[in-house]
Amino acid sequence: MSKKHKVGVFICHCGKNIGGYINIAQLVEMVKTIPDVVISTDQKYMCSDQGQAEIKKALQEGLIDRVVVASCSPTMHEKTFRKCVSEEDFNPYLYQQVDIRENCSWVTKDIQEATYKAYELIKAGVSRVKTLEPLWSTEYPVTPTTLVIGGGIAGIIAATDILEAGFKVVLVEREDQLGGWARRIGKGFPHLTPIKDFLKEKIEVLQSHSGLKTYLSSEVVGLEGFPGNFKATIKQADDTTVEEEIGSIIVATGFKPFDARRKPEFAYGESTQVITTVEMEELLEKGELSTNGQPKEVAFIQCVGSRDKSIGNEYCSRTCCMVVAKQALLLKELIPDARVSVFYMDVRAFGKGYEEFFEKAQRSGVIYIRGNPSEVYKSGDKMLIRYEDTLLGRPQELAADLVVLSVGMEPAEGAAELINTLRATADKDGFFLEAHPKLGPLDTFSDGLFIAGCCQGPKDLPDTVAQAHGAAARATVYFHQDKVIKEPVVATIDADVCSGCGLCESICSFDALHLDEKKKRMTVQEAVCKGCGACAATCPSGAISLKHFRPSQVLAWVEGFLS
Amino acid sequence: MDFLEKHELYACLQCGKCTGGCPVSLRAPLNIRSLMREVLMGGSPEVALDCPGLWDCTTCAICTLRCPRGLKPSEVIVGLRAELVEGGRVPKTIIDALEGTFKHGNPWGRARQKRIEWKGDTAVKTLSDEGEAEWLYFIGCAPSYDPRLQRIPRILCRILETAGIDFGSLGTKESCCGNEIRRMGETGLFEELREENTKNFNASGVKAILTTSPHCFNTFSTEYDLDGFKVLHYTQLLADLIKEGEITFSKEVNKKVVYHDPCFLGKQHEIFDPPREILKAIPGLELLEFDRCRERSLCCEGGGGRMWAEGAGEGERNSEVRVKDAHAMGAEIIATACPFCLLTLEDGAKTTGLEEEMPIREILELVAEAMGFDDV
């Protein structure tokens, strides 16, 4: 290092999180001994206004030209401090965060050991920060159109919001009409309002907008580009494909009901006296059940295809408890002298007004039996259900005229292929994985790609509609800004060294590297590059390096530990 | 790891699917769901050892196969029985079966040299003393000694010979497979049997094992460590031989036959189709199905040591239900592919007075009839 740097180190107590497990006063003194450190100081909370002000003051006074904050994990506050130093016209890539909380104070019992470990981590960070170079973000223009995949209730709501905000929507629906599963629902719980009316109105509002382009009987089969500037390939009913330029994407492809044939012990498909809640919904809607006052004995079985490791679905499908409460209640109204039973493990009535609705169903005369039935078989003209009433501790049989299997939700047909096409990620059950279960429920790990409704996991109408509104807002953030900002941590190629072998192109998950046919050298499409570094690690000649993580910068880090 | 952790009792949802589907829970004082709760709350298996229904469990494993949390209630029963065996608190008939196996290699305590009595004048080479073979045919204890069952291995040998299969048996060296022994709670004895049989398998020079009984098949394929060996139940091999045209039929069996799925073949290994393919291939035979077939097949109550323990159950036996159902649907024969099922169903036919109307047959017996083997 020819130029001598002036490094400021700011150590955070994070209240007791760090301060309770590390001797901060001692640490501040130890850090002062690290070469080129000109400021070593501490604050109760560095992320507070007071903490940030101290960093700014040091920059304003020209005391330092490199900044290190020793606090939490960079995923928590790196952005905060980069923004803080930027406000003083200081390049944010000359800032280094050192994690002494998750990596140190939270996991080290002995206070002396923790203090020394924190010192070592800071020493490495200081060594690295001195090798960093200023980097600048790039701005790209935006196509203010959102591709909405799936024309069910989530897609309809999201598309309408985006259109109302003044942007355009390309809506792709696999079926020959809009509406999805909401078309098949009769009355909704807990207020028993007709869903079809609500849906019809929503579709009319959607279709009244001029910025909407709808592709029915069509599927998205390809996607390239980067946030703000994607190109989607859509396959139409006649097998022809069209391309659409779009700026963001919302996936709202919904679910498919569990195939009850995968639980052969329930005899679904073998007897017409065993149906699913999907079929029951249609029967109730058509009113066909009551024509001759039949059936007299109806039993619902909950959790068919949900909360069941034996078929690989551990999750709760969240809607079935209320669907059954509703269907049982309506059935009781339709055939008052029918005996209606519901076999359950737990009743999950978590939504607003749901518990009250569940009680209403019980009070209407529906018998809730706590037990998970094991088997259904024919006996004369009845279907016998083998179960144990676990509250009475009594194994029993119930003879029913009609058995209704309360089927759960599974990822929609083709979800895996679509996840692949969009370069999204599947969760362990095959649904679209959200970027963060709490803090990024509508985002994915692919920038510009958002999710709403049951494609992310089972949920009811209120949650689906709420997500759709949220996804519409998320998907149009770039549009309001009129630009996308691309961070500068991307791969860069030394054309003098590159031999154009193409190994990097094959390893890149984002299709960011291509051969320049003329020059016979690889080139990076910076807007697409995610800065993962896979190419740099693969390049046999060392021609590729990742900005901000160049070999010299990484080695300085390691040397900092070892010095 | 203590009993509660080993059997994952903390993870039990108490949903009742195990007890609900248990084939004996309606007639025996055995509620596995509440038993697991008792053990969890009591903190040790001791609190459950006085349960009078512990010997009623047939280890059909329906509770384990269907548990939504992936627990193994049938193994909890085996674990509780192991505690009883440890403390010597076991019915006399079970003690006799265990002692017989320990001393003579079979739970009936019959002499080892009589193990080849079933052969009659069937020529089967003993491996590896009388040469080598491609297949090792493991006869099993019941077919070796029980006079009702002894013709079944004879038939299979004749079929294999006709199809040109190169096979042999272990002769008097064959010992109990241990499937039932483990389920009676005698883990130590099971391990000894496993070691001895594995040693003999290795010495025999074969790479493929064929069994008469689904019970032997089960333990060899899931509880032995027979890497490199192919293990088949005879119905699997036979169905293939028929498909390949290696077996042909010369006579018609003009009967309505209903097939009873053995638990250790059907539910536990999903071998539902090969037995049916064999029956369907027999000329003239009309195959009927119970409503409770395949995954829902009703256990005959012959497994899990029940051949040596009456159990505390009362009322109609499952085998009686099975015989009556078959009779009601107009079946003329119940066919099965398990020595224990055959014996228990025959008992059911006797006690329901349907012995004449409802004969019980091993699939092999029907195959022999169709192949014209009158003298086996």
Side-chain angles (χ1 to χ4, degrees):
Chain A
M1 244 30 63
S2 53
K3 184 174 172 256
K4 205 157 160 55
H5 285 293
K6 296 176 285 180
V7 183
V9 179
F10 301 87
I11 300 168
C12 180
H13 292 244
C14 196
K16 288 254 188 294
N17 273 300
I18 298 170
Y21 301 90
I22 283 175
N23 185 337
I24 301 278
Q26 188 189 345
L27 181 62
V28 168
E29 291 310 311
M30 287 165 85
V31 169
K32 280 180 184 164
T33 67
I34 300 171
D36 303 324
V37 171
V38 295
I39 294 177
S40 173
T41 181
D42 62 305
Q43 282 278 348
K44 197 96 183 146
Y45 291 99
M46 279 313 306
C47 58
S48 68
D49 289 347
Q50 193 186 341
Q52 294 193 36
E54 186 165 5
I55 300 171
K56 286 180 178 175
K57 185 163 166 278
L59 287 169
Q60 282 159 8
E61 291 171 359
L63 301 176
I64 52 175
D65 63 2
R66 289 291 187 275
V67 179
V68 171
V69 173
S71 59
C72 49
S73 154
T75 55
M76 186 78 199
H77 275 312
E78 188 176 61
K79 271 190 183 157
T80 310
F81 295 115
R82 277 189 178 159
K83 183 164 173 283
C84 163
V85 298
S86 299
E87 284 164 6
E88 292 305 318
D89 282 335
F90 183 80
N91 190 285
Y93 292 90
L94 301 178
Y95 160 77
Q96 176 67 30
Q97 181 141 354
V98 175
D99 173 7
I100 58 165
R101 192 179 72 169
E102 286 85 338
N103 260 342
C104 184
S105 69
W106 278 359
V107 292
T108 314
K109 275 184 186 157
D110 182 80
I111 189 161
Q112 271 314 308
E113 211 177 299
T115 306
Y116 188 72
K117 189 173 169 186
Y119 162 72
E120 292 274 289
L121 287 162
I122 293 169
K123 182 156 61 79
V126 169
S127 177
R128 166 171 161 78
V129 79
K130 291 189 283 184
T131 64
L132 296 181
E133 55 191 359
L135 299 172
W136 289 271
S137 301
T138 320
E139 291 180 0
Y140 295 92
V142 160
T143 309
T145 303
T146 301
L147 169 68
V148 176
I149 309 174
I153 195 67
I156 292 167
I157 299 278
T160 305
D161 280 6
I162 293 165
L163 291 163
E164 283 178 357
F167 305 112
K168 288 184 178 167
V169 169
V170 173
L171 177 59
V172 178
E173 165 56 46
R174 192 159 56 180
E175 292 188 43
D176 59 4
Q177 56 178 311
L178 298 178
W181 280 101
R183 272 196 293 129
R184 299 172 178 86
I185 302 174
K187 295 189 170 98
F189 53 80
H191 303 297
L192 299 178
T193 44
I195 299 298
K196 287 188 178 68
D197 298 352
F198 159 82
L199 182 67
K200 190 163 162 275
E201 185 194 314
K202 292 287 173 196
I203 293 175
E204 280 169 10
V205 172
L206 170 73
Q207 291 177 333
S208 70
H209 289 280
S210 58
L212 175 72
K213 194 190 259 185
T214 309
Y215 289 94
L216 294 175
S217 307
S218 302
E219 289 184 50
V220 174
V221 293
L223 182 76
E224 56 184 83
F226 55 93
N229 298 276
F230 291 111
K231 200 183 281 174
T233 310
I234 298 161
K235 195 174 114 195
Q236 295 173 284
D238 58 1
D239 269 357
T240 58
T241 56
V242 285
E243 286 191 340
E244 286 285 351
E245 293 197 350
I246 49 163
S248 63
I249 304 149
I250 294 175
V251 181
T253 46
F255 68 97
K256 73 161 185 280
F258 175 77
D259 179 4
R261 283 178 190 81
R262 285 173 56 202
K263 299 285 292 174
E265 59 267 35
F266 289 147
Y268 179 74
E270 289 173 34
S271 164
T272 52
Q273 287 168 284
V274 182
I275 64 171
T276 68
T277 37
V278 176
E279 289 148 3
M280 186 57 151
E281 194 72 24
E282 281 170 27
L283 290 175
L284 284 167
E285 194 57 11
K286 289 179 192 160
E288 283 174 4
L289 276 167
S290 60
T291 46
N292 56 355
Q294 286 291 337
K296 282 283 180 281
E297 182 80 50
V298 183
F300 289 86
I301 298 178
Q302 289 286 27
C303 299
V304 177
S306 311
R307 301 179 69 192
D308 187 352
K309 276 190 183 173
S310 78
I311 44 98
N313 291 350
E314 281 185 67
Y315 56 87
C316 165
S317 285
R318 292 171 56 98
T319 56
C320 335
C321 279
M322 298 318 292
V323 168
V324 165
K326 177 194 77 179
Q327 292 186 351
L329 179 74
L330 293 175
L331 202 63
K332 206 62 195 156
E333 283 175 4
L334 206 60
I335 316 169
D337 60 340
R339 233 179 81 99
V340 180
S341 311
V342 176
F343 290 98
Y344 73 100
M345 292 195 279
D346 304 279
V347 174
R348 296 182 169 172
F350 53 83
K352 195 168 184 175
Y354 289 9
E355 182 63 27
E356 295 91 322
F357 186 76
F358 165 44
E359 186 183 331
K360 189 174 163 190
Q362 283 188 296
R363 285 184 184 276
S364 78
V366 176
I367 309 278
Y368 274 74
I369 301 172
R370 201 215 171 250
N372 189 357
S374 181
E375 210 163 284
V376 176
Y377 49 91
K378 208 165 177 55
S379 175
D381 59 353
K382 301 269 186 184
M383 294 308 288
L384 281 188
I385 300 173
R386 274 281 259 127
Y387 71 100
E388 184 202 1
D389 184 324
T390 58
L391 299 181
L392 295 174
R394 209 179 280 161
Q396 277 170 320
E397 288 171 328
L398 184 140
D401 299 312
L402 186 64
V403 179
V404 188
L405 305 178
S406 178
V407 286
M409 294 184 186
E410 289 196 323
E413 210 64 64
E417 291 81 1
L418 187 62
I419 284 170
N420 196 30
T421 301
L422 301 177
R423 292 198 180 89
T425 316
D427 70 14
K428 70 178 175 51
D429 300 307
F431 292 103
F432 277 77
L433 180 65
E434 63 277 20
H436 190 284
K438 292 181 173 66
L439 305 174
L442 310 175
D443 294 18
T444 65
F445 291 103
S446 301
D447 290 343
L449 178 68
F450 304 93
I451 48 179
C454 292
C455 71
Q456 180 262 351
K459 55 183 63 65
D460 57 11
L461 267 175
D463 283 0
T464 296
V465 171
Q467 282 205 340
H469 285 305
R474 295 289 298 136
T476 47
V477 169
Y478 306 133
F479 302 172
H480 291 288
Q481 292 168 340
D482 221 18
K483 64 187 177 195
V484 276
I485 297 161
K486 178 76 185 99
E487 281 205 33
V489 180
V490 291
T492 164
I493 295 175
D494 185 341
D496 292 342
V497 182
C498 175
S499 67
C501 73
L503 267 180
C504 52
E505 185 173 359
S506 59
I507 196 96
C508 179
S509 304
F510 310 99
D511 207 20
L513 290 140
H514 298 282
L515 184 70
D516 181 329
E517 293 289 350
K518 260 194 206 153
K519 296 179 184 158
K520 301 288 174 210
R521 298 285 181 271
M522 300 305 295
T523 56
V524 181
Q525 198 184 347
E526 292 196 355
V528 179
C529 176
K530 298 273 185 185
C532 72
C535 56
T538 304
C539 180
S541 52
I544 308 182
S545 57
L546 186 64
K547 288 179 187 171
H548 206 55
F549 293 94
R550 293 183 188 277
S552 59
Q553 296 167 336
V554 176
L555 283 174
W557 213 347
V558 178
E559 280 163 10
F561 274 114
L562 303 177
S563 67
Chain B
M1 204 187 329
D2 73 2
F3 192 93
L4 278 66
E5 284 172 14
K6 183 179 172 200
H7 296 286
E8 300 179 273
L9 297 188
Y10 295 102
C12 177
L13 197 52
Q14 288 290 305
C15 74
K17 182 161 293 238
C18 46
T19 299
C22 172
V24 301
S25 66
L26 285 177
R27 55 181 298 262
L30 175 65
N31 181 331
I32 178 60
R33 194 261 321 149
S34 73
L35 214 54
M36 286 165 72
R37 183 78 183 161
E38 295 278 6
V39 175
L40 175 69
M41 300 314 286
S44 112
E46 192 57 38
V47 295
L49 297 184
D50 290 329
C51 168
L54 277 188
W55 295 101
D56 280 270
C57 171
T58 69
T59 66
C60 75
I62 207 64
C63 48
T64 294
L65 292 166
R66 292 183 188 159
C67 174
R69 281 283 171 89
L71 272 54
K72 294 177 178 166
S74 52
E75 287 298 316
V76 174
I77 300 270
V78 173
L80 292 172
R81 287 178 179 175
E83 299 281 328
L84 290 175
V85 169
E86 187 87 358
R89 299 154 68 180
V90 181
K92 173 78 169 65
T93 49
I94 295 283
I95 294 177
D96 290 347
L98 296 174
E99 273 182 8
T101 308
F102 179 68
K103 286 183 188 152
H104 307 288
N106 71 87
W108 283 277
R110 301 279 308 278
R112 182 171 281 282
Q113 59 269 32
K114 295 255 168 114
R115 197 166 181 108
I116 49 171
E117 199 182 62
W118 63 273
K119 275 195 198 176
D121 44 19
T122 308
V124 185
K125 61 184 162 191
T126 305
L127 303 175
S128 56
D129 306 347
E130 298 167 10
E132 291 183 352
E134 191 188 339
W135 288 87
L136 187 156
Y137 175 24
F138 191 89
I139 319 296
C141 300
S144 294
Y145 292 106
D146 191 299
R148 166 64 185 93
L149 303 172
Q150 284 173 335
R151 67 182 295 243
I152 289 162
R154 282 204 299 272
I155 294 170
L156 185 56
C157 288
R158 182 91 171 261
I159 296 170
L160 295 175
E161 207 181 340
T162 309
I165 302 287
D166 178 23
F167 72 101
S169 78
L170 287 175
T172 53
K173 277 187 291 182
E174 184 184 288
S175 286
C176 174
C177 68
N179 190 70
E180 303 306 289
I181 302 301
R182 193 180 85 71
R183 285 159 178 76
M184 286 187 246
E186 221 327 350
T187 317
L189 181 54
F190 166 73
E191 283 166 6
E192 275 174 40
L193 294 166
R194 180 171 62 186
E195 194 178 328
E196 187 187 334
N197 281 319
T198 304
K199 202 179 72 196
N200 286 332
F201 294 161
N202 284 324
S204 72
V206 304
K207 282 290 162 213
I209 300 166
L210 190 66
T211 74
T212 326
S213 170
H215 293 249
C216 308
F217 166 74
N218 172 67
T219 194
F220 292 158
S221 42
T222 63
E223 290 158 1
Y224 276 50
D225 188 11
L226 295 176
D227 267 0
F229 283 93
K230 178 161 79 177
V231 180
L232 288 188
H233 182 252
Y234 83 81
T235 52
Q236 297 173 287
L237 180 63
L238 221 55
D240 282 349
L241 291 175
I242 291 171
K243 258 182 245 164
E244 290 158 9
E246 300 291 337
I247 294 175
T248 49
F249 300 107
S250 56
K251 292 194 175 162
E252 293 193 346
V253 179
N254 291 305
K255 296 283 186 192
K256 289 179 183 170
V257 178
V258 62
Y259 174 65
H260 164 85
D261 286 279
C263 297
F264 281 77
L265 193 65
K267 289 174 191 129
Q268 295 190 28
H269 291 279
E270 295 182 351
I271 299 173
F272 297 118
D273 294 323
R276 290 175 166 82
E277 285 162 12
I278 298 168
L279 288 169
K280 279 186 207 160
I282 295 176
L285 188 149
E286 186 188 338
L287 181 65
L288 306 181
E289 290 284 1
F290 286 110
D291 178 65
R292 302 173 81 176
C293 64
R294 301 174 74 96
E295 291 89 350
R296 292 180 298 150
S297 178
L298 180 65
C299 173
C300 76
E301 298 188 67
R306 281 291 301 278
M307 297 303 288
W308 301 276
E310 187 48 35
E314 289 170 358
E316 197 171 43
R317 293 160 189 262
N318 290 348
S319 59
E320 295 171 342
V321 173
R322 221 48 177 159
V323 170
K324 282 186 183 170
D325 282 354
H327 190 248
M329 74 168 74
E332 294 164 283
I333 291 174
I334 300 177
T336 190
C338 167
F340 293 163
C341 290
L342 186 69
L343 295 177
T344 50
L345 290 170
E346 279 193 346
D347 278 351
K350 279 177 203 151
T351 52
T352 50
L354 291 168
E355 201 177 0
E356 296 295 321
E357 292 103 308
M358 192 50 62
I360 317 295
R361 295 282 179 268
E362 236 291 341
I363 286 180
L364 286 168
E365 295 179 295
L366 299 173
V367 171
E369 199 179 326
M371 289 179 82
F373 300 166
D374 302 328
D375 51 337
V376 193

